[in-house]
């Protein structure tokens, strides 16, 4: 397992500003965790990534060799240490949606980086950057405690999405 170095400032880019290898790595990681690991069959590239005001926030990770579909070590894992996307204000994102709020979605930590603080650092960076705006998210319920540390509170009843219990959460501007 590759040990992550202390995190630097995250990269924040719009879709059009992402380099091809960054976009590929983001999609690799999201597919690896949400589709394969969590066994959620859904169309992850939903087009929201491409909206002009959607932001992609991530901590890059050095490329690593991975086995290709035939087991040879010719593949490359370009996934970042941690990633989240920030939706434009007023783009509704499920039960947590609130007028004027930006939603944090697709929050994910690379399996090699779990337990090393990358997810917490990414959330801290996002909350600091957007502290003047209301934020929402639909947290996997087992992570609700993590989000409360960053000022989020439940704002609706729990619900199931792709077989996983979620909690809609909100963080007011300036908190």
């Amino acid at each position: 397992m590759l040990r992550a170095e202390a995190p630097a400032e995250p990269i924040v880019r719009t879709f059009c500003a992402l380099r091809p290898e960054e976009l590929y790595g983001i999609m690799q990681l999201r597919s690896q965790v949400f589709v394969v690991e969590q066994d959620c069959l859904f169309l992850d590239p939903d087009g929201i990534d491409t909206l002009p005001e959607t932001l992609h926030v991530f901590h890059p990770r050095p490329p690593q060799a991975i086995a290709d579909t035939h087991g040879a070590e010719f593949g490359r894992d370009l996934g970042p240490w941690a990633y989240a996307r920030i939706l434009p204000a007023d783009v509704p994102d499920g039960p947590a949606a609130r007028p004027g709020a930006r939603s944090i979605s697709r929050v994910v930590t690379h399996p090699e980086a779990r337990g090393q603080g990358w997810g917490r650092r990414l959330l801290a960076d996002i909350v600091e950057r957007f502290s003047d705006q209301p934020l929402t998210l639909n947290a996997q319920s087992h992570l609700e405690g993590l989000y409360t540390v960053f000022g989020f509170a439940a704002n609706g009843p729990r619900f199931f999405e792709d077989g996983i219990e979620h909690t809609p959460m909100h963080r007011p501007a300036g908190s």
Side-chain angles (χ1 to χ4, degrees), residues 6-162:
E9 292 299 312
I11 292 173
V12 179
R13 298 194 202 283
T14 63
F15 181 81
C16 290
L18 287 168
R19 298 189 335 238
E21 63 274 12
E22 292 170 337
L23 176 59
Y24 189 88
I26 288 165
M27 299 313 289
Q28 251 184 330
L29 178 60
R30 285 172 30 179
S31 179
Q32 176 184 5
V33 174
F34 300 134
V35 178
V36 177
E37 183 180 304
Q38 295 181 354
D39 196 26
C40 298
L41 298 178
F42 71 105
L43 184 61
D44 179 47
D46 57 10
I48 294 174
D49 295 308
T50 68
L51 297 175
E53 293 180 31
T54 296
L55 297 175
H56 301 272
V57 184
F58 61 98
H59 286 282
R61 178 178 151 271
Q64 301 295 310
I66 58 170
D68 62 19
T69 56
H70 302 286
E73 291 284 328
F74 288 107
R76 289 182 57 203
D77 180 352
L78 302 177
W81 292 119
Y83 166 86
R85 73 178 181 184
I86 312 298
L87 278 54
D90 294 323
V91 170
D93 187 31
R98 290 231 170 144
R102 292 191 79 148
S103 181
I104 303 170
S105 69
R106 303 296 203 267
V107 180
V108 61
T109 300
H110 195 285
E112 288 186 6
R114 292 181 186 149
Q116 297 181 37
W118 285 96
R120 287 180 180 274
R121 176 57 194 241
L122 185 70
L123 288 169
D125 291 332
I126 291 169
V127 165
E128 180 180 336
R129 181 181 183 101
F130 295 97
S131 64
D132 63 335
Q133 300 175 40
L135 296 171
T136 64
L137 54 83
N138 293 293
Q140 290 187 5
S141 295
H142 73 278
L143 296 172
E144 189 175 334
L146 169 67
Y147 293 109
T148 61
V149 170
F150 293 99
F152 287 88
N155 71 334
R158 291 180 175 190
F159 64 98
F160 281 88
E161 184 173 36
D162 295 314

